[in-house]
Amino acid sequence: MKFNNRHNEQVTLADGRIIWLSRSCAVVTTLACRVDGRIYILLGKRGIGCPDEVGKWNLPCGYLDWDETLSEAAIREVFEETGVNVNAIASDSIILDHMQDPWRISSDAKPNSKQNVTHHLYRYFNAEKLPETSTAYCEPNEIDELQWRDINQLEGLDYAFGHDMIMQEFLSRSEVTAILEA
């Protein structure tokens, strides 16, 4: 049989250990909040400290660290990039993950494609006001700006990594459309 895969590269460290260079596991979180009947999604604008897609908008996202579950990575990335403590926002929040295609694999033909395996997590909650945001916990210059955007004002922004499609998938879910119509 013939396969289209490329073999993973390996690096031998000075102490003799071999490290395999393979796809990274990443998380992307759509955080949606309903305030006074309007639903907002939290977005960040990528700053000059990012390796790519600078100036584009994205959902909180990042890589899975050692000894960390997907949920822990998502909670950490949301906090690091936005200052929002997902564990403290609302006990009645609805956690939606495992969409139709929960594991997205970017395998585009770009020479420097990261080919991440990305897990999408979604959390919806009600609040009296939008949670405060902060870039105090992220890498220097990683996030230029944070915004809670009304779902009716998501178009027209330049998005990184297809995050506009991820938000649209979230908003088209039956559980979410039922919330939107309530």
Side-chain angles (χ1 to χ4, degrees):
M1 287 184 11
K2 174 138 177 60
F3 298 98
N4 292 324
N5 66 306
R6 288 192 324 239
H7 290 283
N8 293 326
E9 296 177 48
Q10 68 183 34
V11 176
T12 304
L13 302 178
D15 65 3
R17 289 182 298 142
I18 296 174
I19 305 292
W20 289 93
L21 302 177
S22 60
R23 291 181 175 193
S24 294
C25 185
V27 293
V28 176
T29 302
T30 302
L31 192 60
C33 179
R34 180 182 218 144
V35 175
D36 294 328
R38 295 172 64 187
I39 297 179
Y40 300 85
I41 292 180
L42 185 55
L43 297 172
K45 189 173 187 181
R46 296 175 65 79
I48 60 171
C50 291
D52 52 15
E53 305 287 353
V54 172
K56 294 184 179 182
W57 292 90
N58 65 280
L59 298 162
C61 59
Y63 293 105
L64 188 70
D65 286 346
W66 290 100
D67 300 324
E68 186 174 53
T69 67
L70 290 167
S71 295
E72 290 167 343
I75 291 166
R76 176 183 53 76
E77 287 292 345
V78 168
F79 181 74
E80 287 177 357
E81 293 184 4
T82 71
V84 175
N85 180 348
V86 174
N87 288 328
I89 53 176
S91 59
D92 65 342
S93 64
I94 299 168
I95 301 170
L96 304 168
D97 63 358
H98 300 291
M99 302 295 279
Q100 289 178 339
D101 183 12
W103 292 98
R104 301 256 170 112
I105 299 171
S106 58
S107 298
D108 55 34
K110 294 177 186 173
N112 296 322
S113 174
K114 295 178 184 172
Q115 295 200 0
N116 293 331
V117 177
T118 305
H119 187 75
H120 300 164
L121 297 104
Y122 304 81
R123 181 167 279 194
Y124 167 85
F125 63 101
N126 295 301
E128 291 185 22
K129 66 178 188 167
L130 293 169
E132 294 290 323
T133 61
S134 171
T135 59
Y137 308 102
C138 66
E139 297 292 324
N141 300 311
E142 182 179 6
I143 305 294
D144 260 355
E145 184 180 347
L146 291 167
Q147 286 187 11
W148 283 100
R149 294 285 291 209
D150 184 298
I151 61 168
N152 297 312
Q153 298 174 337
L154 295 173
E155 291 185 28
L157 297 177
D158 192 11
Y159 289 100
F161 316 119
H163 285 194
D164 51 334
M165 294 183 307
I166 295 168
M167 288 184 293
Q168 290 309 315
E169 184 177 339
F170 166 75
L171 293 169
S172 68
R173 270 189 81 143
S174 60
E175 299 98 318
V176 176
T177 55
I179 291 167
L180 295 174
E181 294 168 359

